[in-house]
Amino acid sequence: MAEPQALTPYREALEKELRNCFSERQGFLYNVLRYHMGWVDQQGQPENGSTRHSFHSLLAPAVCEAVTGQYEAALPVAAAVELLYNFSLVHGDVQAGRLEAGDRPSVWWVWGPAQAINAGDGLHALARVAIMRLADMGLPPDRVLRASEMLDRSCLAMCEGQYADLGFQDRMLVTTGEYDDMIARKSGALTGCSAAGGALAAGLDEADQDAFQSAGVKLGMAWQITQDVTDFWGQEGNAVTASNVLNKKKSLPLIYALEVCGTSGKREIGAAYKKRVLEPADLARVVEIMDGTGAREYSEERARRLSAEAMETLEPRIRHAECLPTLRTLAEMALESGAQQLTR
């Protein structure tokens, strides 16, 4: 997707911060990590292609600037969240057996799953190193420690959510409540950490940090629901199905359809999902049944409501009104398919 102009300063500063994390690190492992980040090719040679930045990480500088008028203090938070998000992507590609990671072969497909796990662990460790740069920005030790704890707790919650998500693949019936809890952890934890970390870097107290975290979690949930809709219907509404669906993940449109459709619809969906391998005809029929229940409309409305609730929490706490449009841009991005990464 095209990058909103308001986010360009954050993206450029975040890119510099990320590259600084790698500046003194050489060798095979770091070439693999640079490859995943889009900086080099498989031979370790520099590339001029797109650099991927997640929707999640940009919340930190946006929140910090909205509170203080400046965003630089939150860059270590943004870098840490970005690295943690990429850690989850590398491991997620292994778990899902995805051959492609964005515009290139995934790390596990090129170097094997064992090295991919090693690479993901490296990104996780670098995220913890990155968050410590808050001390260089002048934050007192107690606040740096709180930021580090915040990052670790969000990573643990993300892993809990991923565990639940994988577990849902072996179950036919999943409730919307169980789904909400799963995505609040899997996808909301990082956005919550990013927003709360931006508030922490801005000097806000724990009560305000918690409020920003709550808003960030809701934006992450809205983002995940949007991706769920895209998985079934495609970015252009053409039903080009993602690997998440082929792996029988239970996302909101499917869960809602199973809750409201009639017995025959439940039976047809159940029969399709009991197969070892889903076929295109099966998926087409599942989408047809979901269309009949209004599952897409329900899911899109749910995402819009979560995004609006997040902004209702954020707006009263903004001290620089001129920064509000940027936060609104990020809230709108949570509702756009393909918003998981920005490119330049």
Side-chain angles (χ1 to χ4, degrees), residues 233 256-257 260-262 285-297:
W233 284 276
Y256 176 79
V260 303
C261 73
R285 179 55 184 153
V286 168
V287 170
E288 185 179 358
I289 294 170
M290 290 194 299
D291 284 338
T293 66
R296 181 175 186 173
E297 293 78 9

mmCIF file of all heavy atoms in Angstrom, residues 233 256-257 260-262 285-297:
data_model
loop_
_atom_site.group_PDB
_atom_site.id
_atom_site.type_symbol
_atom_site.label_atom_id
_atom_site.label_comp_id
_atom_site.label_asym_id
_atom_site.label_seq_id
_atom_site.Cartn_x
_atom_site.Cartn_y
_atom_site.Cartn_z
ATOM 1 N N TRP A 233 -11.480 -13.010 1.273
ATOM 2 C CA TRP A 233 -12.018 -12.353 0.092
ATOM 3 C C TRP A 233 -10.959 -11.698 -0.790
ATOM 4 O O TRP A 233 -11.276 -11.247 -1.891
ATOM 5 C CB TRP A 233 -13.070 -11.326 0.506
ATOM 6 C CG TRP A 233 -14.363 -11.969 0.891
ATOM 7 C CD1 TRP A 233 -15.368 -12.352 0.034
ATOM 8 C CD2 TRP A 233 -14.811 -12.318 2.209
ATOM 9 N NE1 TRP A 233 -16.398 -12.913 0.741
ATOM 10 C CE2 TRP A 233 -16.093 -12.914 2.081
ATOM 11 C CE3 TRP A 233 -14.253 -12.198 3.472
ATOM 12 C CZ2 TRP A 233 -16.823 -13.370 3.177
ATOM 13 C CZ3 TRP A 233 -14.974 -12.658 4.560
ATOM 14 C CH2 TRP A 233 -16.239 -13.225 4.421
ATOM 15 N N TYR A 256 -18.169 -16.394 12.954
ATOM 16 C CA TYR A 256 -19.501 -15.772 12.950
ATOM 17 C C TYR A 256 -20.457 -16.569 12.079
ATOM 18 O O TYR A 256 -21.618 -16.823 12.471
ATOM 19 C CB TYR A 256 -19.405 -14.330 12.443
ATOM 20 C CG TYR A 256 -20.747 -13.655 12.311
ATOM 21 C CD1 TYR A 256 -21.401 -13.143 13.429
ATOM 22 C CD2 TYR A 256 -21.370 -13.540 11.069
ATOM 23 C CE1 TYR A 256 -22.649 -12.528 13.314
ATOM 24 C CE2 TYR A 256 -22.617 -12.931 10.940
ATOM 25 C CZ TYR A 256 -23.250 -12.432 12.068
ATOM 26 O OH TYR A 256 -24.482 -11.840 11.944
ATOM 27 N N ALA A 257 -20.006 -16.978 10.905
ATOM 28 C CA ALA A 257 -20.876 -17.739 10.003
ATOM 29 C C ALA A 257 -21.340 -19.029 10.654
ATOM 30 O O ALA A 257 -22.520 -19.416 10.540
ATOM 31 C CB ALA A 257 -20.141 -18.037 8.696
ATOM 32 N N VAL A 260 -24.199 -18.392 13.156
ATOM 33 C CA VAL A 260 -25.515 -17.913 12.723
ATOM 34 C C VAL A 260 -26.116 -18.692 11.567
ATOM 35 O O VAL A 260 -27.320 -18.565 11.305
ATOM 36 C CB VAL A 260 -25.455 -16.406 12.355
ATOM 37 C CG1 VAL A 260 -24.941 -15.580 13.515
ATOM 38 C CG2 VAL A 260 -24.610 -16.168 11.114
ATOM 39 N N CYS A 261 -25.312 -19.462 10.836
ATOM 40 C CA CYS A 261 -25.867 -20.163 9.680
ATOM 41 C C CYS A 261 -26.692 -21.379 10.132
ATOM 42 O O CYS A 261 -26.585 -21.841 11.264
ATOM 43 C CB CYS A 261 -24.771 -20.593 8.704
ATOM 44 S SG CYS A 261 -23.750 -21.980 9.247
ATOM 45 N N GLY A 262 -27.492 -21.901 9.239
ATOM 46 C CA GLY A 262 -28.333 -23.038 9.551
ATOM 47 C C GLY A 262 -27.549 -24.339 9.641
ATOM 48 O O GLY A 262 -26.338 -24.392 9.394
ATOM 49 N N ARG A 285 -17.098 -22.580 -1.821
ATOM 50 C CA ARG A 285 -18.390 -22.868 -1.194
ATOM 51 C C ARG A 285 -18.465 -22.284 0.216
ATOM 52 O O ARG A 285 -19.500 -21.732 0.623
ATOM 53 C CB ARG A 285 -18.630 -24.380 -1.149
ATOM 54 C CG ARG A 285 -19.941 -24.788 -0.489
ATOM 55 C CD ARG A 285 -21.142 -24.114 -1.126
ATOM 56 N NE ARG A 285 -22.375 -24.447 -0.426
ATOM 57 C CZ ARG A 285 -23.450 -23.667 -0.408
ATOM 58 N NH1 ARG A 285 -23.439 -22.488 -1.057
ATOM 59 N NH2 ARG A 285 -24.539 -24.038 0.246
ATOM 60 N N VAL A 286 -17.369 -22.373 0.974
ATOM 61 C CA VAL A 286 -17.340 -21.789 2.315
ATOM 62 C C VAL A 286 -17.573 -20.284 2.242
ATOM 63 O O VAL A 286 -18.359 -19.718 3.023
ATOM 64 C CB VAL A 286 -16.001 -22.099 3.016
ATOM 65 C CG1 VAL A 286 -15.849 -21.260 4.289
ATOM 66 C CG2 VAL A 286 -15.906 -23.583 3.357
ATOM 67 N N VAL A 287 -16.910 -19.613 1.301
ATOM 68 C CA VAL A 287 -17.093 -18.164 1.139
ATOM 69 C C VAL A 287 -18.531 -17.859 0.747
ATOM 70 O O VAL A 287 -19.129 -16.876 1.227
ATOM 71 C CB VAL A 287 -16.105 -17.609 0.097
ATOM 72 C CG1 VAL A 287 -16.451 -16.168 -0.262
ATOM 73 C CG2 VAL A 287 -14.676 -17.687 0.630
ATOM 74 N N GLU A 288 -19.120 -18.699 -0.092
ATOM 75 C CA GLU A 288 -20.509 -18.498 -0.501
ATOM 76 C C GLU A 288 -21.449 -18.577 0.712
ATOM 77 O O GLU A 288 -22.366 -17.761 0.848
ATOM 78 C CB GLU A 288 -20.896 -19.554 -1.535
ATOM 79 C CG GLU A 288 -22.290 -19.367 -2.113
ATOM 80 C CD GLU A 288 -22.629 -20.418 -3.160
ATOM 81 O OE1 GLU A 288 -21.761 -21.268 -3.469
ATOM 82 O OE2 GLU A 288 -23.772 -20.397 -3.655
ATOM 83 N N ILE A 289 -21.197 -19.539 1.571
ATOM 84 C CA ILE A 289 -22.024 -19.667 2.779
ATOM 85 C C ILE A 289 -21.819 -18.447 3.683
ATOM 86 O O ILE A 289 -22.793 -17.894 4.231
ATOM 87 C CB ILE A 289 -21.672 -20.965 3.529
ATOM 88 C CG1 ILE A 289 -22.053 -22.191 2.697
ATOM 89 C CG2 ILE A 289 -22.381 -21.012 4.886
ATOM 90 C CD1 ILE A 289 -21.532 -23.493 3.254
ATOM 91 N N MET A 290 -20.569 -18.023 3.846
ATOM 92 C CA MET A 290 -20.297 -16.850 4.677
ATOM 93 C C MET A 290 -20.968 -15.614 4.113
ATOM 94 O O MET A 290 -21.502 -14.777 4.865
ATOM 95 C CB MET A 290 -18.783 -16.634 4.810
ATOM 96 C CG MET A 290 -18.088 -17.687 5.655
ATOM 97 S SD MET A 290 -16.407 -17.224 6.140
ATOM 98 C CE MET A 290 -15.625 -17.071 4.552
ATOM 99 N N ASP A 291 -20.960 -15.468 2.777
ATOM 100 C CA ASP A 291 -21.637 -14.325 2.160
ATOM 101 C C ASP A 291 -23.114 -14.311 2.515
ATOM 102 O O ASP A 291 -23.707 -13.254 2.742
ATOM 103 C CB ASP A 291 -21.464 -14.380 0.635
ATOM 104 C CG ASP A 291 -20.078 -13.944 0.174
ATOM 105 O OD1 ASP A 291 -19.405 -13.227 0.947
ATOM 106 O OD2 ASP A 291 -19.681 -14.315 -0.938
ATOM 107 N N GLY A 292 -23.717 -15.495 2.579
ATOM 108 C CA GLY A 292 -25.137 -15.585 2.907
ATOM 109 C C GLY A 292 -25.460 -15.201 4.337
ATOM 110 O O GLY A 292 -26.611 -14.863 4.645
ATOM 111 N N THR A 293 -24.475 -15.236 5.217
ATOM 112 C CA THR A 293 -24.696 -14.874 6.626
ATOM 113 C C THR A 293 -24.339 -13.424 6.928
ATOM 114 O O THR A 293 -24.555 -12.960 8.048
ATOM 115 C CB THR A 293 -23.854 -15.767 7.551
ATOM 116 O OG1 THR A 293 -22.462 -15.485 7.340
ATOM 117 C CG2 THR A 293 -24.119 -17.239 7.289
ATOM 118 N N GLY A 294 -23.751 -12.727 5.953
ATOM 119 C CA GLY A 294 -23.287 -11.365 6.217
ATOM 120 C C GLY A 294 -22.032 -11.329 7.067
ATOM 121 O O GLY A 294 -21.751 -10.326 7.746
ATOM 122 N N ALA A 295 -21.231 -12.414 7.003
ATOM 123 C CA ALA A 295 -20.037 -12.511 7.855
ATOM 124 C C ALA A 295 -19.019 -11.427 7.545
ATOM 125 O O ALA A 295 -18.366 -10.899 8.447
ATOM 126 C CB ALA A 295 -19.391 -13.895 7.690
ATOM 127 N N ARG A 296 -18.880 -11.102 6.270
ATOM 128 C CA ARG A 296 -17.909 -10.067 5.913
ATOM 129 C C ARG A 296 -18.336 -8.722 6.476
ATOM 130 O O ARG A 296 -17.524 -7.993 7.062
ATOM 131 C CB ARG A 296 -17.749 -9.985 4.393
ATOM 132 C CG ARG A 296 -16.740 -8.934 3.964
ATOM 133 C CD ARG A 296 -16.488 -8.947 2.466
ATOM 134 N NE ARG A 296 -15.420 -8.021 2.125
ATOM 135 C CZ ARG A 296 -14.889 -7.909 0.910
ATOM 136 N NH1 ARG A 296 -15.328 -8.678 -0.081
ATOM 137 N NH2 ARG A 296 -13.913 -7.046 0.685
ATOM 138 N N GLU A 297 -19.602 -8.376 6.281
ATOM 139 C CA GLU A 297 -20.099 -7.091 6.771
ATOM 140 C C GLU A 297 -20.000 -7.009 8.291
ATOM 141 O O GLU A 297 -19.627 -5.960 8.846
ATOM 142 C CB GLU A 297 -21.547 -6.886 6.321
ATOM 143 C CG GLU A 297 -21.732 -6.710 4.825
ATOM 144 C CD GLU A 297 -21.664 -8.011 4.038
ATOM 145 O OE1 GLU A 297 -21.645 -9.102 4.677
ATOM 146 O OE2 GLU A 297 -21.629 -7.953 2.796
#
